[in-house]
Amino acid sequence: MQIKAKFFSNKISRQIAILLFIAAAVPATLMTVLSLTKINDLVVNYEHQTLVDKSRTHALNMFTNLVYARNLITRELELKKSISQLKDYKLLIADAEYKPFDYIEKFSLDEINNNDKLKRIVPQQDISTLKNSTQDKFKLIILKNEQGMPSVNFFINAKNENKDNFYLATLNPEYLWGDDYEDNLSVCAYSTVSTSKTKLFCSHNGIGNNQNVSDPINSGSWELFLNGEFLSDSWLFETKRLTPLSQSHLREYIGSKAYIGISLLSLLIIGLLSLIQIRRTMVPMENLIRGTEKIAQGVFSPVSVSGNSEFSILATAFNDMSNHIKQQLETLQSYSAIDQEIISTVDVGRVIQLIINRMHEIKPDLIFLIANLEESTNNEVQSSCHVIGHAALSSVRLVMSQKELNEISRSAQGQFKTSSLSSPLIHQRIMAELGTNHIWVLPIFWQDETCAFLLVGSKTELDNKDRVWTEYRDLASRIGIVISAHKREQQLLTEAQYDNLTGLPNRILLQDRLKQAIDHSERSSKPTWVIFIDLDRFKDVNDSLGHSVGDALLTEIATRLAEEIRESDTVARFGGDEFVIVLSGDEGEDIQLSVLNRIMDAIGKPAYINNRELINTCSIGIAIYPNDGKSPETLIKNADIAMYRAKELGRNNYQFFKQSLNDRAAKRIQMITLLRNAITKNEFTLHYQPKVDLKTGIIIGLEALIRWENEKLGKVSPAEFIPIAEEAGLINSIGEWVLKTACTQMVEYQEAGASEVLMSVNISAKQLIDLNFVAKLKSILVETGLKASNLELELTESILMDSDYNILRKLHEIKSLGIQLSIDDFGTGYSNLSYLHTLPIDTLKIDKSFTDSITFNKTKAPIVNTIINLAKNLDLKVIAEGVETQEQANYLKAHDCNQIQGYYFSKPLPYDETKELLGSGRKLSLAKASKANAKPNTI
């Protein structure tokens, strides 16, 4: 086979050759290295294990010699009863077959105790162990002979002799260690104590502690345990190879001529095979590349590849693709024109006309109708139709049933049908009227819904295998795209400018409308009113009834507001429960005020949602162009400031913007910021005002009153910061601090002797609607240790009268804990007396506004009498607050009021002064009461 190298000039060919060479050479090299490495590891492990086994063999041989020597002495002791009875115990040395001992010496206990050398050799604890033994005991002792060489000895206590006699038997080294050692191996024995070693024996001189034995291939060790048999430390036997094992033969093999020759031959064969395969691959590939380059130049010529390989199959597919691309290119050019039209404009009618024209160009003998669905009901669908291929018609209006449309939509790929003038289906009848007998019906979808459909009609039968239907489907899909783009544009416009919930203009469209109104005012010199509306206590609706009810209420309010303004005005949802109305073009203030009154009346009408009656109020702020601002942002901001002023004045009213309100708003923001850190900075304190029993004159309760002193604001009245805390959502944390602090200090008062005093704490409406309030209350009682019976919660009359079933249930749950409940400021709200008896309350508290004038105002006194009688009839206690004079106290006592509270007895006092007052035993004395104590009852 001749290999021409022309193809090898190709960059890819060279890359493939290099990669094939690397792919063959690298694995071969790696396998060689890995094989040699594995062989080397096996050799190392084998050599090391061989030396370990030899160490073990020598150790066990030595151990056998020790046991034999011990048994020899033991046998003689059993025969002769005592070594001392032997005529010559050195016979043990002379007569023994292996001459295990060099000599045996006898020592008494006194000799050992009086000889320092012996005492060092044989520690006292070893002597005690041997002496107290009931049988022969042998202990191995290592001594040094006169030449300084270590010797192995038995230290023996014979069981049949006097316990004070001991024997030292020195073992013969030749017997113990033997002389059967290989020339190339060194065997050494060491006595090991902790981490230190003492050399006992080495088979070759000069080998021992100083030799490097870290190489595992040249050394191996084995440890012999001796403590059980000979009361001695373990001995370590190490076998070392004097001539290290050489590994150079492995490297020599790699560098040998045979290895190099085989490697080069392998690489040569790999290169040759690579060139053959590269030629077989690259020649057809180059032909395909040239064919591709021609296609890029617009020349669609076929590519020829010989043989039956995959490349010939690829060439056939390439030629088919080339022909298909040629056909598709013409189609894509027409698609490009249509798509350009879709991108540049969202004119649905123009795009449909372009598409239907293209369809007609492909099949001029057919009739085409595209129906664009516009309006639909549950039963009927109307559509505008574009027709081409019929000289008399260019467009037609089509009305069909929803059932017929469902029939068309059933087949997403289209369906072939016949048309007839007698058909019950309108689309078949109209195509029959256009002169066709056979039709193809294709639905066009947008978001899985039918938005249009295509009808293709012919007098002759249609070929369902014609490839033209695929192109028609592609063209029809562009109708769905342009319709979806048009609807999406309308949807985005709506979402961008209108509120999803209410359908009113949102902030973006409000800005545009307000700017237009300002421009109109500049031209007409007429004012523009910006009305900022905020629903009062709307959060309570969401918290108590759920967000679904709140959303329904907002939708109802939005509808009412839209009905109260002119078409030229704008009402927008600003966010949450806030609305903004723009009134423009009127000079008469009376006209605009009438609109304000209508708005308040419309919002104030009861709303019925989920069988609930909801009564709403609102706070309104008004800013007027150009006096209150000249930009949309400024007008809206100033109207918002005016709205907050309306809330501060009690809600359910409207206020006009004034520049002074800016300062009030800035101060309010500053106060909110400072309030957030007041608890952590310990700026709050509690003062306590006593409650006195009118019959006994003793203090029976305390009301906790919060005080705030800030380094920037100084002392701030609760009447000023409590409403702001409620609006800012801080009242829950502040109220929880008051409740916990009051309970803690009440426990301290009880420990000081005020065990029967009742602690009263005011509870905000926002605290009561908190879902976790009861749980927090229980936790505070447990944490502080205050009994529930010593705690009273004071709630305003408006909270209880506005409460629903959930609040009533929560009050009963609090009452079940043993906590007392009191209605504060009774008589100032909108009490429903028929509802009062259902509340689990213990006390009515007469407001200060009634107490102030009971001795001289004929209209207030009967109200107080009525409240007292009402409380008695309901079996409730009654307390009057704000009592400042003796006359007031006498009047209340005469009319059977239970308790009083006010400056007449004591002003609110700090913790320490309250503690001193409780300990003083001070009582109310009407006879000694003086007007000098009367001061304004400011809490």
Side-chain angles (χ1 to χ4, degrees):
M1 178 180 179
Q2 184 178 4
I3 300 177
K4 296 180 180 181
K6 182 180 178 181
F7 69 89
F8 204 66
S9 61
N10 189 291
K11 184 177 180 180
I12 297 178
S13 301
R14 294 194 298 272
Q15 290 178 348
I16 294 175
I18 293 172
L19 290 175
L20 287 174
F21 178 80
I22 293 173
V26 170
T29 304
L30 289 177
M31 287 301 297
T32 302
V33 173
L34 290 175
S35 299
L36 294 175
T37 302
K38 186 63 177 177
I39 293 171
N40 182 67
D41 291 342
L42 292 174
V43 170
V44 169
N45 293 336
Y46 175 79
E47 287 297 324
H48 175 68
Q49 188 60 43
T50 300
L51 295 178
V52 170
D53 292 342
K54 289 183 178 295
S55 296
R56 180 175 179 273
T57 301
H58 289 298
L60 294 178
N61 289 338
M62 189 281 305
F63 183 77
T64 302
N65 293 339
L66 286 176
V67 172
Y68 177 80
R70 182 191 64 183
N71 293 341
L72 182 63
I73 294 180
T74 302
R75 185 176 69 250
E76 292 299 328
L77 285 174
E78 290 176 352
L79 294 175
K80 304 298 191 296
K81 302 299 183 181
S82 169
I83 293 178
S84 60
Q85 294 179 11
L86 295 174
K87 294 179 179 179
D88 185 359
Y89 56 76
K90 288 191 176 182
L91 291 176
L92 286 169
I93 302 171
D95 295 343
E97 182 181 354
Y98 299 104
K99 298 181 180 179
F101 296 103
D102 282 341
Y103 59 88
I104 299 175
E105 294 183 73
K106 177 179 179 183
F107 300 95
S108 66
L109 183 59
D110 292 338
E111 288 178 305
I112 295 176
N113 292 335
N114 295 328
N115 189 316
D116 291 338
K117 181 179 180 181
L118 290 176
K119 286 170 67 176
R120 285 194 303 271
I121 294 173
V122 188
Q124 186 63 40
Q125 60 183 14
D126 292 339
I127 296 173
S128 299
T129 301
L130 296 171
K131 181 179 178 181
N132 296 327
S133 173
T134 59
Q135 55 183 356
D136 294 340
K137 283 289 184 178
F138 293 79
K139 176 175 176 59
L140 281 179
I141 296 176
I142 308 301
L143 301 176
K144 288 190 177 181
N145 56 22
E146 296 176 354
Q147 290 78 25
M149 298 299 294
S151 65
V152 181
N153 303 267
F154 279 151
F155 189 72
I156 311 163
N157 170 234
K159 65 179 181 178
N160 292 323
E161 287 198 39
N162 187 329
K163 294 295 180 71
D164 292 337
N165 291 330
F166 301 88
Y167 298 90
L168 186 66
T170 303
L171 289 165
N172 181 6
E174 294 181 1
Y175 163 78
L176 181 62
W177 307 112
D179 56 2
D180 187 14
Y181 298 100
E182 298 179 26
D183 294 337
N184 192 38
L185 298 178
S186 170
V187 180
C188 294
Y190 302 90
S191 175
T192 59
V193 179
S194 185
T195 57
S196 64
K197 297 192 303 182
T198 301
K199 185 175 74 172
L200 302 178
F201 166 78
C202 272
S203 62
H204 289 74
N205 292 331
I207 304 299
N209 292 332
N210 296 327
Q211 185 177 355
N212 181 15
V213 295
S214 60
D215 186 4
I217 193 173
N218 292 315
S219 66
S221 61
W222 197 79
E223 188 173 14
L224 178 63
F225 181 74
L226 295 172
N227 188 51
E229 293 289 337
F230 299 104
L231 302 176
S232 174
D233 298 320
S234 299
W235 289 3
L236 180 67
F237 284 79
E238 290 184 349
T239 301
K240 308 165 189 174
R241 191 175 297 280
L242 297 178
T243 302
L245 181 66
S246 176
Q247 302 177 23
S248 60
H249 59 282
L250 298 176
R251 291 188 291 270
E252 291 173 357
Y253 171 73
I254 295 176
S256 65
K257 294 181 179 180
Y259 179 81
I260 295 174
I262 292 172
S263 300
L264 292 176
L265 180 61
S266 300
L267 294 177
L268 182 61
I269 294 173
I270 291 170
L272 181 62
L273 294 176
S274 299
L275 291 176
I276 294 172
Q277 185 59 38
I278 290 170
R279 182 183 182 281
R280 289 177 177 176
T281 303
M282 292 309 301
V283 170
M285 185 175 292
E286 288 177 354
N287 292 336
L288 290 171
I289 291 172
R290 284 194 293 271
T292 305
E293 291 173 346
K294 290 181 179 180
I295 290 177
Q297 298 170 0
V299 179
F300 297 90
S301 59
V303 173
S304 175
V305 176
S306 60
N308 296 321
S309 66
E310 286 79 2
F311 281 104
S312 62
I313 298 173
L314 180 61
T316 302
F318 180 86
N319 293 332
D320 292 341
M321 180 190 69
S322 176
N323 294 330
H324 185 67
I325 290 175
K326 183 179 180 181
Q327 297 172 5
Q328 288 293 318
L329 187 60
E330 298 175 356
T331 302
L332 289 176
Q333 290 173 348
S334 62
Y335 286 176
S336 176
I338 296 171
D339 293 342
Q340 185 64 36
E341 190 68 28
I342 293 175
I343 294 172
S344 61
T345 180
V346 193
D347 188 341
V348 177
R350 177 172 173 78
V351 173
I352 289 177
Q353 193 62 47
L354 288 174
I355 292 174
I356 202 170
N357 288 339
R358 172 59 185 166
M359 290 179 176
H360 190 256
E361 288 176 3
I362 299 172
K363 291 281 187 179
D365 56 333
L366 300 180
I367 295 177
F368 300 88
L369 183 149
I370 296 177
N372 180 19
L373 307 182
E374 295 178 345
E375 300 178 10
S376 64
T377 64
N378 292 335
N379 300 319
E380 188 177 79
V381 179
Q382 297 186 20
S383 58
S384 60
C385 300
H386 300 262
V387 182
I388 193 169
H390 193 281
L393 290 176
S394 59
S395 64
V396 67
R397 190 79 179 172
L398 188 64
V399 180
M400 65 173 59
S401 66
Q402 186 69 47
K403 182 178 180 181
E404 183 175 348
L405 180 62
N406 294 339
E407 175 66 24
I408 293 174
S409 305
R410 190 168 298 169
S411 177
Q413 298 299 314
Q415 50 188 321
F416 293 89
K417 296 182 179 180
T418 58
S419 58
S420 170
L421 294 174
S422 61
S423 174
L425 301 178
I426 294 176
H427 71 281
Q428 293 183 6
R429 289 205 306 270
I430 194 170
M431 291 302 289
E433 291 175 0
L434 294 175
T436 66
N437 298 320
H438 301 274
I439 60 174
W440 182 62
V441 185
L442 177 70
I444 302 171
F445 297 97
W446 175 68
Q447 292 186 348
D448 297 330
E449 292 185 1
T450 305
C451 62
F453 59 86
L454 167 67
L455 297 175
V456 179
S458 173
K459 292 183 179 180
T460 60
E461 188 174 357
L462 298 170
D463 182 7
N464 59 3
K465 295 182 179 180
D466 195 335
R467 295 179 62 179
V468 73
W469 307 120
T470 301
E471 187 170 347
Y472 283 171
R473 290 190 190 97
D474 292 339
L475 289 167
S477 67
R478 282 164 169 75
I479 297 176
I481 292 172
V482 71
I483 292 176
S484 67
H486 177 72
K487 291 186 177 180
R488 185 164 58 251
E489 183 180 28
Q490 296 297 320
Q491 181 180 352
L492 290 175
L493 182 63
T494 301
E495 291 176 353
Q497 297 184 343
Y498 291 88
D499 177 56
N500 290 333
L501 177 63
T502 62
L504 295 177
N506 59 15
R507 290 190 183 193
I508 297 174
L509 187 54
L510 171 65
Q511 291 278 347
D512 182 67
R513 296 276 182 88
L514 183 51
K515 189 177 184 305
Q516 293 179 25
I518 291 174
D519 293 340
H520 176 73
S521 293
E522 288 182 351
R523 293 192 301 270
S524 64
S525 299
K526 294 180 179 180
T528 293
W529 285 35
V530 177
I531 302 172
F532 200 105
I533 304 170
D534 184 270
L535 302 182
D536 296 332
R537 298 185 177 90
F538 178 76
K539 186 175 183 299
D540 295 345
V541 175
N542 277 338
D543 291 342
S544 58
L545 301 179
H547 288 275
S548 60
V549 175
D551 290 346
L553 178 59
L554 289 175
T555 304
E556 174 67 20
I557 296 297
T559 302
R560 295 180 184 182
L561 291 177
E563 292 173 352
E564 297 301 330
I565 63 171
R566 302 166 301 184
E567 290 185 3
S568 59
D569 298 326
T570 298
V571 55
R573 185 185 179 197
F574 195 71
D577 60 336
E578 298 172 336
F579 298 87
V580 173
I581 296 178
V582 179
L583 304 177
S584 61
D586 284 322
E587 294 179 347
E589 185 174 305
D590 291 340
I591 297 176
Q592 308 292 44
L593 289 177
S594 66
V595 176
L596 290 175
N597 292 327
R598 291 202 311 269
I599 288 171
M600 295 194 70
D601 291 341
I603 293 176
K605 292 178 182 178
Y608 297 93
I609 299 173
N610 293 346
N611 298 324
R612 291 179 179 273
E613 181 184 63
L614 302 178
I615 299 177
N616 310 282
T617 61
C618 66
S619 300
I620 298 177
I622 305 103
I624 303 174
Y625 174 86
N627 295 334
D628 298 332
K630 294 187 178 181
S631 68
E633 295 80 6
T634 304
L635 287 170
I636 292 173
K637 181 192 72 172
N638 292 342
D640 188 18
I641 293 173
M643 181 273 294
Y644 272 104
R645 174 62 177 164
K647 282 189 175 294
E648 291 175 356
L649 294 177
R651 299 182 175 89
N652 196 25
N653 69 93
Y654 56 81
Q655 294 292 316
F656 287 87
F657 173 76
K658 295 178 182 177
Q659 187 59 37
S660 60
L661 295 181
N662 278 324
D663 300 331
R664 293 175 60 86
K667 183 178 179 182
R668 181 178 180 275
I669 293 172
Q670 181 190 29
M671 187 172 291
I672 291 174
T673 303
L674 296 175
L675 272 173
R676 293 186 189 279
N677 301 317
I679 293 179
T680 57
K681 291 184 176 181
N682 295 320
E683 294 178 352
F684 289 128
T685 57
L686 291 184
H687 285 202
Y688 298 97
Q689 187 169 38
K691 297 179 181 181
V692 183
D693 188 285
L694 277 174
K695 291 183 179 180
T696 63
I698 65 173
I699 299 173
I700 51 87
L702 299 171
E703 181 180 1
L705 303 170
I706 190 170
R707 297 290 184 263
W708 181 30
E709 184 172 359
N710 181 265
E711 60 181 5
K712 292 183 179 179
L713 303 179
K715 293 183 179 180
V716 187
S717 168
E720 184 177 359
F721 73 79
I722 290 297
I724 293 177
E726 289 182 340
E727 291 289 342
L730 303 173
I731 194 63
N732 280 353
S733 58
I734 294 175
E736 186 176 348
W737 177 88
V738 171
L739 192 59
K740 184 180 295 185
T741 304
C743 291
T744 301
Q745 295 183 349
M746 187 67 239
V747 171
E748 295 173 1
Y749 289 152
Q750 289 176 339
E751 292 173 352
S755 59
E756 301 300 326
V757 177
L758 185 68
M759 175 59 71
S760 298
V761 179
N762 291 282
I763 299 299
S764 164
K766 293 186 180 296
Q767 286 180 267
L768 195 60
I769 63 176
D770 182 5
L771 297 177
N772 298 320
F773 176 70
V774 177
K776 292 178 182 177
L777 192 58
K778 292 178 182 179
S779 176
I780 289 172
L781 290 175
V782 172
E783 182 180 346
T784 61
L786 181 67
K787 294 181 180 179
S789 59
N790 289 115
L791 178 62
E792 180 183 59
L793 302 183
E794 293 192 8
L795 305 103
T796 61
E797 186 178 9
S798 58
I799 296 176
L800 300 175
M801 294 305 107
D802 294 341
S803 62
D804 61 3
Y805 171 75
N806 291 326
I807 298 298
L808 184 61
R809 179 179 55 80
K810 189 175 293 186
L811 292 177
H812 280 284
E813 189 175 353
I814 295 172
K815 182 67 177 174
S816 67
L817 299 176
I819 299 172
Q820 298 190 42
L821 297 174
S822 172
I823 298 181
D824 195 12
D825 302 333
F826 187 77
T828 61
Y830 305 94
S831 301
N832 184 343
L833 297 181
S834 64
Y835 186 64
L836 189 62
H837 76 279
T838 64
L839 299 173
I841 57 175
D842 302 281
T843 306
L844 295 181
K845 196 170 187 179
I846 302 173
D847 187 71
K848 180 182 181 296
S849 61
F850 297 106
T851 307
D852 285 342
S853 53
I854 56 176
T855 57
F856 59 83
N857 191 322
K858 295 181 179 181
T859 61
K860 293 291 184 70
I863 296 177
V864 174
N865 297 339
T866 301
I867 294 174
I868 294 174
N869 292 330
L870 175 65
K872 297 299 180 183
N873 292 332
L874 293 175
D875 197 22
L876 303 174
K877 292 178 292 186
V878 62
I879 179 173
E881 64 177 347
V883 177
E884 299 177 352
T885 67
Q886 179 180 351
E887 291 78 9
Q888 292 172 346
N890 288 334
Y891 182 91
L892 292 168
K893 182 178 181 182
H895 288 81
D896 205 19
C897 181
N898 301 114
Q899 306 166 20
I900 63 169
Q901 177 184 1
Y903 274 64
Y904 172 64
F905 181 77
S906 174
K907 66 179 181 179
L909 301 173
Y911 168 75
D912 293 335
E913 294 182 28
T914 302
K915 190 173 184 180
E916 183 179 348
L917 176 63
L918 292 174
S920 67
R922 177 183 162 193
K923 294 184 178 181
L924 176 69
S925 176
L926 294 177
K928 295 181 180 180
S930 172
K931 293 183 179 180
N933 288 328
K935 295 181 182 179
N937 189 13
T938 303
I939 8 184

